[in-house]
Amino acid sequence: IKAGRRKYPKTVKADITKKKEGQADKLKELQKELKETHMRCPDCRAKLPESNEEIVAHLRRNAEKGYSWAQAQLGPRYRDGIGVRRSGRQAERWYRAAMEDMSLMDGGPQAAFNLGAMYTKGEGVRKDVEEAKKLYTMAHEAGDRDATLNLARLFEGVCGPAIGVPDLEKAVKLYRQAAEAGGAHAQLNLALCYDNGDGLLQEKAAAKVWYAK
């Protein structure tokens, strides 16, 4: 049998074309439905912001009303210059506003953690490890696991000079807290402390347990 292009009757070609057109129409309907439902506020039905500039405007309106979740989200936008001109000063302003509410369910702890990271790196602000330590401590005491990890690293002495740093025993205690809460990086660092005998007695068996986590 000689191979060649398959020939469809004209009626079959028409059916295929019609089916493709129908699928395209269905796709347009679904896209329209998505915009009408998922791209609107479930409560007030207002259109949700889409561009970075629209998101910043939306966050700023809520931040100025005192909502800590909006203040905490506005901080990184100013820090990184997303949808707005980059400004370390404005980032810090909104982070500190969010920190008025240090409930773990709101934006305060995350804001304190992010601002602490800025001071640790000197990102948009003057590098100040002592200030970073205060901010990480606030977030840690509010239950932020990432802050507990960073505070442990700070007490280990890897971030730079600060009062009471380094303090390996305190670093190990913090690593343990974050590790027991499920933090993978903290589990690895705690394993290394046991392996090397940093801040506690060297225990290869304990190191092996934490490495396995």
Side-chain angles (χ1 to χ4, degrees):
I1 299 173
K2 189 176 179 180
R5 293 183 63 183
R6 181 179 295 177
K7 294 184 178 180
Y8 292 100
K10 288 184 179 180
T11 54
V12 174
K13 279 188 176 182
D15 289 342
I16 292 172
T17 303
K18 188 175 181 180
K19 185 176 181 182
K20 286 182 178 179
E21 289 175 351
Q23 289 174 340
D25 291 339
K26 184 65 176 177
L27 178 60
K28 288 179 182 178
E29 288 178 12
L30 290 171
Q31 289 173 335
K32 183 179 178 181
E33 183 182 348
L34 176 67
K35 287 188 176 181
E36 290 298 321
T37 55
H38 299 287
M39 298 305 292
R40 290 185 178 274
C41 173
D43 296 322
C44 68
R45 306 305 299 157
K47 183 177 178 292
L48 294 177
E50 296 183 46
S51 70
N52 284 320
E53 290 75 16
E54 288 175 341
I55 292 170
V56 167
H58 173 73
L59 289 173
R60 188 182 290 112
R61 283 194 298 271
N62 285 281
E64 289 171 350
K65 292 176 183 178
Y67 293 111
S68 63
W69 61 267
Q71 294 164 343
Q73 289 183 46
L74 199 54
R77 297 236 165 213
Y78 274 106
R79 179 195 65 199
D80 300 330
I82 301 174
V84 70
R85 185 176 180 178
R86 181 177 294 178
S87 172
R89 181 178 296 179
Q90 285 296 318
E92 180 166 11
R93 172 199 170 190
W94 289 113
Y95 280 143
R96 291 199 182 277
M99 287 162 53
E100 294 295 320
D101 183 356
M102 290 300 288
S103 167
L104 194 59
M105 297 300 292
D106 290 295
Q110 185 64 38
F113 168 79
N114 285 336
L115 187 55
M118 286 177 65
Y119 272 103
T120 299
K121 302 171 186 175
E123 182 182 20
V125 295
R126 174 178 50 83
K127 182 179 174 70
D128 187 338
V129 179
E130 185 62 33
E131 182 64 19
K133 184 174 73 171
K134 293 176 184 176
L135 291 161
Y136 285 147
T137 299
M138 288 178 65
H140 158 68
E141 290 175 348
D144 189 290
R145 190 176 69 190
D146 291 333
T148 304
L149 172 63
N150 276 21
L151 190 59
R153 295 182 73 250
L154 190 149
F155 274 109
E156 196 175 357
V158 300
C159 299
I163 298 171
V165 174
D167 186 333
L168 293 181
E169 289 186 9
K170 188 169 286 188
V172 168
K173 181 181 178 181
L174 290 163
Y175 278 139
R176 188 184 304 281
Q177 288 181 27
E180 290 174 348
H185 286 97
Q187 290 168 351
L188 174 60
N189 286 349
L190 183 59
L192 289 168
C193 289
Y194 272 114
D195 207 357
N196 300 323
D198 294 333
L200 39 62
L201 290 174
Q202 189 177 46
E203 292 185 44
K204 295 292 184 180
K208 188 176 180 179
V209 170
W210 285 109
Y211 278 136
K213 296 283 187 179

